[in-house]
């Protein structure tokens, strides 16, 4: 994989290709005699134009790459951290002798976070998946507050709504990511 370029470097490369096309166009015009442009000059002009158009097709992905990498790290660590939270809760239940009823909330949370481990960030879906990964922390905090008895069990409704949001946001762009 190539090195990630900053937005400034991407725009500099674009400007360089535009200048090369303009220079070749000027040379082609200078060579234009009464019988027309020589084939070699025209071919060189077309090659510069193709190179510029190919680079312009890549520019959106190149400009989005630094943010995509940032999103990839957030996604990677968020889902693993929430798996660790669920495992810590299960261990705390065993050590503190909590009711086994709370396993009905913590085990699905653990399984769901394990399912999020393979999520990847693409140019098209990285923002939705980063949002889902950050919202996952709010859902995890809500889970901890509910099972430790700080919040009323009625907040389980908010937990389910939170998981629906996280699941929808994580799945957003699923087809585009393939």
């Amino acid at each position: 994989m190539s090195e990630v370029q900053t937005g400034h470097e991407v725009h500099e490369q674009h400007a360089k290709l535009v200048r090369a096309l303009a220079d070749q166009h000027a040379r082609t015009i200078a060579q234009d005699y009464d019988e027309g442009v020589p084939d070699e000059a025209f071919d060189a002009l077309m090659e510069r134009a193709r190179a510029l158009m190919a680079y312009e097709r890549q520019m959106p992905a190149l400009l989005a790459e630094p943010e995509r990498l940032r999103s990839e790290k957030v996604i990677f660590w968020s889902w693993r951290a929430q798996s660790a939270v669920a495992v810590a809760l299960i261990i705390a239940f065993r050590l503190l002798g909590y009711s086994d009823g709370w396993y009905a909330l913590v085990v699905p949370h653990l399984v769901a976070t394990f399912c999020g481990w393979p999520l990847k960030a693409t140019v098209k879906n990285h923002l939705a998946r980063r949002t889902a990964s950050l919202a996952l922390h709010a859902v995890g905090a809500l889970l901890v507050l509910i099972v430790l008895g700080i919040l009323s069990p009625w907040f389980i409704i908010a937990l389910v709504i939170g998981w629906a949001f996280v699941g929808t946001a994580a799945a957003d762009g699923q087809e585009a990511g393939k």
Side-chain angles (χ1 to χ4, degrees):
M1 185 174 186
S2 66
E3 187 176 315
V4 177
Q5 297 177 336
T6 65
H8 180 70
E9 292 169 337
V10 170
H11 288 293
E12 279 183 350
Q13 180 66 22
H14 181 259
K16 179 180 168 187
L17 290 171
V18 168
R19 280 191 306 274
L21 178 62
D23 292 345
Q24 184 61 44
H25 181 260
R27 283 191 296 273
T28 303
I29 294 297
Q31 293 177 357
D32 187 8
Y33 304 111
D34 292 333
E35 64 272 353
V37 177
D39 288 341
E40 299 82 29
F42 183 76
D43 290 343
L45 180 64
M46 289 296 102
E47 184 55 39
R48 299 285 168 117
R50 280 189 209 100
L52 177 61
M53 290 183 337
Y55 192 76
E56 285 177 344
R57 279 191 297 273
Q58 293 176 344
M59 278 183 71
L62 292 172
L63 290 169
E65 186 62 13
E67 281 298 311
R68 189 200 65 80
L69 288 175
R70 193 170 297 118
S71 293
E72 195 169 90
K73 289 177 185 174
V74 168
I75 292 165
F76 182 86
W77 288 110
S78 292
W79 291 85
R80 283 156 180 79
Q82 285 304 310
S83 294
V85 166
V87 168
L89 282 173
I90 291 170
I91 291 170
F93 289 168
R94 300 305 302 165
L95 294 176
L96 298 174
Y98 263 55
S99 167
D100 290 340
W102 291 117
Y103 286 114
L105 288 178
V106 178
V107 171
H109 183 80
L110 178 63
V111 171
T113 56
F114 279 150
C115 290
W117 281 30
L119 288 178
K120 299 292 181 204
T122 64
V123 171
K124 295 185 182 200
N125 71 9
H126 75 94
L127 291 176
R129 292 211 171 147
R130 180 172 34 176
T131 302
S133 299
L134 294 173
L136 178 65
H137 292 295
V139 171
L142 188 60
L143 175 70
V144 170
L145 295 173
I146 291 170
V147 299
L148 293 180
I150 297 170
L151 291 179
S152 166
W154 283 101
F155 280 92
I156 292 174
I157 296 168
L159 185 71
V160 171
I161 292 170
W163 261 111
F165 172 78
V166 168
T168 302
D172 192 24
Q174 186 70 18
E175 294 301 316
K178 290 185 178 179

